[in-house]
């Protein structure tokens, strides 16, 4: 029995050392971003500032016989809140999903409180792809300086 213990112990040591040597070193590809680049990219996405230059934006489009067929609401007073409802296409989004839907359009709209109502309406119709034949369109905007603009247009 005393001879069996050293043989068992020696076998265990060999087995353990053989398993430890199987670890492979994996090299990163030459074009892989460094840790610093990854951290910088993460912090940029977390610190991303909204590209929308309005504190509030509300749009309501009504078609004959219905109300709020298209409704867009964006509010960035304290926290960014967004709602996008398109009744004609059975699409209702809120929060991040709604923001992702409306941000590309609102970030492209570049008008001020001095822009004519007609220019604003036309830009909003094109941006949100409002279908022809609407009964009314209402737009309310609060600009970054706190100036408000309200537009209501009935289809003729």
């Amino acid at each position: 029995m005393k001879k069996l213990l050293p043989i068992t112990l020696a076998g265990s040591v060999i087995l353990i050392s053989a398993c430890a040597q199987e670890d492979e070193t994996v090299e990163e590809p030459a074009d892989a971003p460094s840790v610093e680049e990854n951290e910088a990219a993460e912090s940029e996405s977390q610190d991303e500032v909204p590209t929308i230059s309005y504190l509030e934006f509300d749009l309501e489009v009504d078609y004959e016989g219905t109300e709020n067929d298209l409704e867009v609401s964006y509010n960035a007073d304290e926290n960014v809140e967004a709602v996008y409802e398109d009744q004609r296409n059975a699409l209702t989004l809120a929060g991040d999903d709604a923001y992702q839907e409306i941000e590309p359009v609102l970030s492209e709209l570049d008008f001020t409180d001095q822009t004519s109502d007609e220019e604003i309406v036309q830009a909003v119709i094109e941006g949100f792809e409002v279908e022809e034949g609407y009964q009314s369109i209402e737009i309310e905007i609060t600009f970054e300086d706190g100036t408000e603009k309200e537009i209501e247009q009935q289809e003729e």
Side-chain angles (χ1 to χ4, degrees):
M1 185 81 168
K2 288 185 179 185
K3 289 184 180 183
L4 188 57
L5 184 59
I7 294 172
T8 306
L9 186 58
S12 296
V13 170
I14 292 171
L15 183 62
I16 291 173
S17 64
C19 289
Q21 291 177 357
E22 290 183 20
D23 290 342
E24 294 181 19
T25 302
V26 178
E27 294 182 26
E28 289 187 33
D31 61 347
S34 68
V35 172
E36 292 83 15
E37 290 172 332
N38 283 338
E39 289 174 355
E42 287 177 14
S43 68
E44 285 176 14
S45 65
Q46 291 173 353
D47 297 336
E48 194 172 300
V49 176
T51 57
I52 300 170
S53 60
Y54 311 109
L55 294 176
E56 292 182 35
F57 180 92
D58 291 303
L59 167 66
E60 290 182 9
V61 180
D62 298 327
Y63 289 87
E64 181 89 30
T66 60
E67 291 184 9
N68 300 332
D69 288 300
L70 176 63
E71 185 175 350
V72 176
S73 179
Y74 168 81
N75 185 328
D77 282 338
E78 292 179 21
N79 296 318
V80 174
E81 297 176 11
V83 174
Y84 179 84
E85 294 182 19
D86 184 352
Q87 301 280 335
R88 299 184 106 191
N89 294 312
L91 181 62
T92 301
L93 303 171
D96 291 339
D97 293 335
Y99 180 80
Q100 295 301 320
E101 184 74 26
I102 65 177
E103 189 275 335
V105 177
L106 290 181
S107 64
E108 291 294 318
L109 298 178
D110 188 28
F111 37 74
T112 68
D113 62 335
Q114 300 302 312
T115 306
S116 74
D117 290 358
E118 188 57 42
E119 285 179 76
I120 292 173
V121 170
Q122 192 58 41
V124 169
I125 287 172
E126 290 173 12
F128 285 103
E129 299 175 354
V130 175
E131 296 176 18
E132 291 183 19
Y134 63 87
Q135 185 176 8
S136 67
I137 186 168
E138 295 177 30
I139 303 169
E140 295 179 20
I141 305 167
T142 302
F143 296 92
E144 288 182 322
D145 66 358
T147 306
E148 295 180 6
K149 187 160 188 136
E150 293 183 24
I151 304 167
E152 185 172 343
Q153 180 178 327
Q154 304 293 322
E155 185 63 18
E156 299 171 10

